[in-house]
Amino acid sequence: MRASIWALVKKDFREHATHLLGVLVVIAVSQLLPLLLGPGGVVPALSLALLPVAFLFPMLIAYWLVGMEKAKRTLFLLRLLPLSAHHLAIAKEVVALSMLLLFGAVVVVARSLVLSLQEDHEMGVLGSFGTALARWIPIVMVLLTQLALFLYLWLDYRLAGIIIVVIWYSGVFLVFFYPNELMPLARLSERWSFIVVGHGIAVLLVLGLHSLMVRLLERKDWDRLATG
Amino acid sequence: MPVLEIRHLWKSYPGFTLRDVNLSLKRGTVTALLGRNGAGKTTLIKCALGVIPRDRGSVRFQGVEREYGEVAWRRSVGYVAESHPLYDWMRVEQFLRFIAAHYPTWDDAYCQQLLERFRLDPHKQIRELSHGMRVGLALIAALAHRPILLLLDEPMAGLDPIARADFLQWLREDAIAPEAGRAVLISSHILEDVVAVADEIVIIRHGEVVVHASLGDLEREWRILSVASWTSAQQWSAFPVIRGRDGSVRLLCRRQESEGLVAELTARGIAVLDVRAPTLHELFLGLA
């Protein structure tokens, strides 16, 4: 079974290598922009700089891994393999998580580079929200990616994309426009007990979405679907 | 023991029901699955393979009941889907390597032989392959792990006559060779090809199996009556009526009913010109 999953992971990375490389370059360039702006620019705090565009990563990953397989009917080919829906979902999740890690790594490396080279840059104010976001962004991204995989599997890719955007910008809207109202929550989110419970709930949600994906993979006739 | 045994299989979709299907596929035989578009052939194959869940009934593979969701037994099954889903961006050899990773019994030497047999260049990109070559590739992917059950859903659709002849020759010589110990189920609309290879015929109509017998048995059991002076007003609900493009009219009935039918037609003033065994084409037109 491990060989089957590994073959699927390799296949997905080969299939999307160009897309992935393109996005990594765009991320790196966008993070290195302050270097091009010259001295005196403001480098926004990492977590806040990512906020408006972070939803794109789960969307892209889900579209590559699920939307395109649905559109080209190759998901049916995968379901014909002697591989359970559970293992197929795991393979997709492994690829998604790896891609997410790559995106994150490029952001962090590029950002560190900028900060080390441009000491005269003014650092954006991180504040409580920024600190909280920095702590929570990884698990939120994992959860959002899992949700995107499920939605792209369940729905048409356009509808799935719209739902992700709406969910993400609802959160962004709250953070930017109601910072005072959310302040108690931000303070609470710094407590270790809250972090542990919050991450635990997120992991349970990820597992729940995995079960739903498995159920969908098992129940639908993927040969009948012509569109992603 | 049959390789595959389907008992009382039911599957419903909105507007379609596969009802109480019973079928068994024996080693070393080719069974042809015939029926009109939408009759339920593909649904039956997918239910048998466990790609879609069945509502009721059982599927036994080599004598063992296979529940829906079990997938390990599929390592002994080869399936060529009507839609031939393939990764167009891959090269032929790359695709075969990807498929091979899922089958412990994959035979590289046999795969190479099949590539030569179907004249496929392993370095060619899949998007550059013709329809016939894509079918060939799907067949290689379904066969190189030496399955003991081969399910072919409309494999000859869209093939040119030479490719079809090659395919049929391969099916006769290789796919059901005694040493393979394999059972083959093939669905097709090309009846002349079916006659050339099939040992057993299954005709499915509106989700129901109406005939399951060897071609010889069908020829013995059914009769065609060619009649003259038939008007469009005359309907015979009890027997299927086959109208030819040349205006000829034939009735299909069971052998034991033929004498009574001849007498009844004669009594109604309809002359019976000929009574003979039906062709598969006539059986299909009458029953499917």
Side-chain angles (χ1 to χ4, degrees):
Chain A
M1 199 52 66
R2 211 180 292 167
S4 280
I5 293 178
W6 180 232
L8 284 173
V9 170
K10 270 202 303 191
K11 189 277 294 173
D12 276 334
F13 269 107
R14 262 195 206 136
E15 186 173 4
H16 304 295
T18 324
H19 303 139
L20 188 61
L21 199 66
V23 173
L24 290 176
V25 168
V26 169
I27 293 173
V29 168
S30 68
Q31 298 303 308
L32 294 171
L33 266 181
L35 282 178
L36 305 172
L37 295 176
V42 175
V43 183
L46 171 67
S47 53
L48 294 178
L50 269 180
L51 214 52
V53 290
F55 74 95
L56 279 172
F57 304 152
M59 264 176 71
L60 278 175
I61 290 170
Y63 178 68
W64 293 340
L65 300 184
V66 177
M68 283 172 74
E69 298 261 25
K70 272 172 77 180
K72 294 176 182 172
R73 289 200 185 197
T74 44
L75 198 58
F76 178 55
L77 173 73
L78 298 182
R79 285 298 291 131
L80 293 177
L81 296 172
L83 184 78
S84 68
H86 170 65
H87 287 107
L88 178 55
I90 285 180
K92 292 288 177 192
E93 287 156 1
V94 166
V95 178
L97 201 61
S98 310
M99 287 181 170
L100 210 53
L101 279 172
L102 269 174
F103 291 157
V106 169
V107 170
V108 171
V109 169
R111 182 59 54 141
S112 311
L113 194 68
V114 170
L115 293 176
S116 62
L117 292 176
Q118 295 278 73
E119 282 171 2
D120 51 345
H121 263 295
E122 189 187 333
M123 260 295 283
V125 182
L126 203 59
S128 325
F129 274 125
T131 316
L133 281 169
R135 197 167 284 152
W136 286 91
I137 266 185
I139 192 70
V140 168
M141 291 304 285
V142 169
L143 183 57
L144 199 69
T145 304
Q146 185 76 347
L147 179 69
L149 286 174
F150 167 69
L151 288 174
Y152 273 77
L153 194 63
W154 183 31
L155 305 168
D156 175 271
Y157 70 97
R158 284 158 291 208
L159 188 55
I162 289 168
I163 293 174
I164 298 287
V165 171
V166 168
I167 290 174
W168 187 255
Y169 277 105
S170 304
V172 172
F173 178 82
L174 286 175
V175 168
F176 278 113
F177 292 96
Y178 296 97
N180 295 332
E181 287 79 354
L182 290 174
M183 195 57 84
L185 193 65
R187 278 196 211 102
L188 195 64
S189 71
E190 286 169 21
R191 287 189 190 169
W192 279 108
S193 57
F194 193 86
I195 290 168
V196 170
V197 171
H199 278 67
I201 290 170
V203 169
L204 285 177
L205 285 172
V206 166
L207 292 175
L209 287 165
H210 169 84
S211 302
L212 289 174
M213 270 175 71
V214 170
R215 201 172 160 74
L216 262 178
L217 280 169
E218 279 180 342
R219 296 283 141 181
K220 265 195 185 178
D221 182 356
W222 298 102
D223 193 25
R224 289 189 160 214
L225 298 165
T227 59
Chain B
M1 184 206 305
V3 173
L4 186 78
E5 198 173 14
I6 296 168
R7 288 278 163 259
H8 306 296
L9 184 93
W10 290 73
K11 171 73 188 174
S12 288
Y13 282 122
F16 169 80
T17 302
L18 198 64
R19 339 168 168 260
D20 201 22
V21 173
N22 292 288
L23 188 67
S24 66
L25 306 179
K26 295 183 210 92
R27 229 170 259 275
T29 61
V30 176
T31 304
L33 186 59
L34 308 177
R36 294 180 179 211
N37 289 333
K41 303 185 294 293
T42 301
T43 304
L44 174 58
I45 291 174
K46 284 183 192 167
C47 281
L49 189 60
V51 177
I52 51 172
R54 52 187 184 261
D55 297 341
R56 264 186 283 164
S58 70
V59 173
R60 294 171 81 87
F61 180 69
Q62 297 206 289
V64 180
E65 174 96 32
R66 304 295 173 174
E67 295 300 330
Y68 177 73
E70 260 187 82
V71 288
W73 70 280
R74 281 202 223 144
R75 291 194 186 115
S76 307
V77 182
Y79 173 52
V80 176
E82 189 182 359
S83 49
H84 312 303
L86 301 168
Y87 287 105
D88 285 351
W89 57 273
M90 284 187 183
R91 294 186 186 283
V92 169
E93 59 178 359
Q94 209 177 0
F95 177 72
L96 290 171
R97 265 205 313 275
F98 169 66
I99 298 293
H102 305 278
Y103 294 93
T105 55
W106 188 269
D107 184 337
D108 279 327
Y110 185 45
C111 179
Q112 196 55 44
Q113 274 177 32
L114 289 167
L115 279 167
E116 284 161 21
R117 167 117 213 194
F118 289 105
R119 293 185 282 276
L120 274 174
D121 177 0
H123 306 296
K124 211 165 186 180
Q125 210 154 29
I126 293 176
R127 67 165 60 94
E128 293 168 11
L129 300 181
S130 66
H131 178 75
M133 288 170 166
R134 289 176 75 93
V135 174
L137 179 58
L139 271 167
I140 296 170
L143 275 165
H145 62 282
R146 296 191 177 276
I148 53 169
L149 173 64
L150 186 59
L151 304 170
L152 306 171
D153 194 359
E154 298 281 357
M156 291 172 283
L159 294 189
D160 64 56
I162 294 169
R164 259 170 54 204
D166 273 357
F167 172 77
L168 290 170
Q169 192 187 355
W170 162 81
L171 197 62
R172 275 191 301 260
E173 289 174 2
D174 193 354
I176 50 164
E179 63 270 20
R182 184 176 292 148
V184 179
L185 178 69
I186 179 168
S187 86
S188 178
H189 283 130
I190 308 167
L191 299 179
E192 60 197 87
D193 294 348
V194 168
V195 172
V197 293
D199 302 291
E200 303 260 314
I201 306 287
V202 175
I203 297 180
I204 187 164
R205 182 178 59 194
H206 304 312
E208 243 175 312
V209 172
V210 287
V211 162
H212 184 185
S214 70
L215 196 54
D217 284 347
L218 288 173
E219 284 171 354
R220 275 188 289 277
E221 201 182 321
W222 293 84
R223 282 291 171 266
I224 275 284
L225 278 62
S226 301
V227 298
S229 60
W230 188 273
T231 66
S232 59
Q234 286 169 305
Q235 292 298 325
W236 216 285
S237 58
F239 300 98
V241 177
I242 304 161
R243 293 168 192 280
R245 281 188 193 154
D246 55 357
S248 65
V249 174
R250 288 157 288 167
L251 275 83
L252 181 69
C253 66
R254 289 188 181 272
R255 187 181 182 171
Q256 63 267 30
E257 297 165 328
S258 62
E259 283 183 20
L261 183 58
V262 169
E264 201 175 337
L265 285 167
T266 310
R268 289 183 185 217
I270 299 165
V272 177
L273 305 174
D274 183 23
V275 179
R276 58 176 169 79
T279 62
L280 183 59
H281 187 71
E282 286 166 332
L283 277 166
F284 183 82
L285 290 177
L287 298 174

